[in-house]
Amino acid sequence: MPPYTNYHAQRSYPMPDEPFCTELSAEQQALKEKEKGSWTQLSHAEKVALYRLQFHETFTEMNRRSNEWKTVMGCVFFFFGFTGLLIWWQRVYVFPKKPITLMDEWKAQQLQRILDMKGNPVQGLASRWDYERKEWKK
Amino acid sequence: MMFPLVRNALSSLRIRSIQQIRARQSHSKHSPDFHDKYGDILLASGTAFCVVVWVFTATQVGIEWNPSPVGRTTPKEWNDE
């Protein structure tokens, strides 16, 4: 683990206060000395090494996509499923007895009564019932 | 006067994005993190668990949804008394 530093770089704040590596080996210190001279003397590898001393990641590395959304959505669905278990427990231990008006026989009789009264005959319930054939319209 | 500026800006955007795509393809993942290793499993198992539990709860547990009687309920005589 790197030591706690003030190095903090992100896309919106790309110039951190400190360089990434502050404890330099002798070889790295020699490179920093060479950096004080003309930069045309630096090889490509040395320039990359200096960049890596200064910054933790390149912009491409920093901005790379990740698969974090899979973990997040997986956990979201898991907790949503857990909520389903809570609803099950609630149905068993909290819900009152089903009222008589929601029993199948009552609902069938209520439906016949509404059809007899021709409730909502234009676009609603009675309009969907075929009174000649005594069945639902197709 | 605006038009060539806009055209230049748009063309440079297109070039930069192609470069970015090439750079992204050349950067292979160095070491897989937690999400690379377990993300797919977590997503699949979480979704499966959620679907199974909710289908069970919605259908088998005795919850009265009271759906529309249209096409479902056959009316029954009610004024027999």
Side-chain angles (χ1 to χ4, degrees), chain A residues 60-61 64-65 67-71 73-74 77-78 80-85 87-88 91 98 102 105 107-109 111-113 115-116 125 128-129 136, chain B residues 23-24 27 29-30 33-36 39-40 42-43 46-47 49-50 53-54 56-57 61-64 66-67 69-78:
Chain A
T60 316
E61 290 165 3
R64 67 178 180 273
R65 301 178 294 183
N67 285 324
E68 189 183 352
W69 69 272
K70 294 180 186 172
T71 311
M73 290 312 293
F77 286 130
F78 171 76
F80 195 53
F82 180 71
T83 307
L85 292 177
I87 305 283
W88 181 15
R91 166 67 187 90
K98 194 152 91 165
L102 285 176
E105 190 186 345
K107 286 203 282 189
Q109 290 178 321
L111 174 62
Q112 182 63 61
R113 189 156 176 265
L115 292 174
D116 292 342
L125 191 58
R128 307 282 295 275
W129 179 256
W136 290 111
Chain B
R24 216 189 302 146
H27 273 267
K29 256 302 156 54
H30 301 294
D33 62 359
F34 177 86
H35 309 296
D36 295 321
D40 289 315
L42 283 170
L43 181 64
T47 317
F49 174 68
C50 180
V53 165
W54 274 99
F56 178 78
T57 309
V61 152
I63 291 176
E64 176 61 57
N66 201 23
V70 174
R72 189 176 278 108
T73 314
T74 311
K76 188 166 173 277
E77 265 311 312
W78 55 275

Side-chain angles (χ1 to χ4, degrees), chain A residues 113-129:
Chain A
R113 189 156 176 265
I114 296 171
L115 292 174
D116 292 342
M117 287 193 282
K118 301 228 170 39
N120 294 332
V122 180
Q123 286 179 323
L125 191 58
S127 72
R128 307 282 295 275
W129 179 256

Side-chain angles (χ1 to χ4, degrees), chain A:
Chain A
M1 277 283 286
Y4 180 75
T5 60
N6 274 335
Y7 180 85
H8 188 71
Q10 57 194 81
R11 193 163 53 182
S12 59
Y13 191 76
M15 304 301 278
D17 303 331
E18 308 186 339
F20 180 59
C21 294
T22 43
E23 292 153 20
L24 303 175
S25 69
E27 191 187 332
Q28 288 167 332
Q29 278 175 345
L31 188 57
K32 289 300 262 185
E33 286 299 318
K34 192 174 175 191
E35 193 194 12
K36 292 177 184 172
S38 171
W39 288 344
T40 52
Q41 292 174 351
L42 295 168
S43 71
H44 180 72
E46 286 173 335
K47 287 179 193 169
V48 171
L50 283 167
Y51 182 90
R52 290 291 175 186
L53 284 178
Q54 194 72 16
F55 299 104
H56 178 217
E57 287 178 319
T58 65
F59 270 80
T60 316
E61 290 165 3
M62 191 199 303
N63 295 336
R64 67 178 180 273
R65 301 178 294 183
S66 81
N67 285 324
E68 189 183 352
W69 69 272
K70 294 180 186 172
T71 311
V72 169
M73 290 312 293
C75 293
V76 164
F77 286 130
F78 171 76
F79 281 111
F80 195 53
F82 180 71
T83 307
L85 292 177
L86 294 178
I87 305 283
W88 181 15
W89 179 90
Q90 197 176 21
R91 166 67 187 90
V92 170
Y93 290 107
V94 178
F95 277 26
K97 194 158 124 16
K98 194 152 91 165
I100 186 172
T101 48
L102 285 176
M103 298 300 182
D104 288 332
E105 190 186 345
W106 188 285
K107 286 203 282 189
Q109 290 178 321
Q110 185 175 13
L111 174 62
Q112 182 63 61
R113 189 156 176 265
I114 296 171
L115 292 174
D116 292 342
M117 287 193 282
K118 301 228 170 39
N120 294 332
V122 180
Q123 286 179 323
L125 191 58
S127 72
R128 307 282 295 275
W129 179 256
D130 190 337
Y131 281 93
E132 274 97 54
R133 292 204 199 86
K134 289 196 170 36
E135 60 183 15
W136 290 111
K137 285 182 185 169
K138 298 290 179 292

Side-chain angles (χ1 to χ4, degrees), chain B residues 6-69:
Chain B
V6 170
R7 199 159 15 116
N8 279 341
L10 285 173
S11 65
S12 70
L13 265 174
R14 228 177 294 134
I15 293 168
R16 217 181 299 136
S17 66
I18 295 169
Q19 281 176 349
Q20 273 176 356
I21 290 166
R22 280 211 208 101
R24 216 189 302 146
Q25 283 171 350
S26 64
H27 273 267
S28 59
K29 256 302 156 54
H30 301 294
S31 55
D33 62 359
F34 177 86
H35 309 296
D36 295 321
K37 283 188 276 191
Y38 304 112
D40 289 315
I41 301 168
L42 283 170
L43 181 64
S45 60
T47 317
F49 174 68
C50 180
V51 166
V52 164
V53 165
W54 274 99
V55 166
F56 178 78
T57 309
T59 57
Q60 304 295 115
V61 152
I63 291 176
E64 176 61 57
W65 294 99
N66 201 23
S68 166

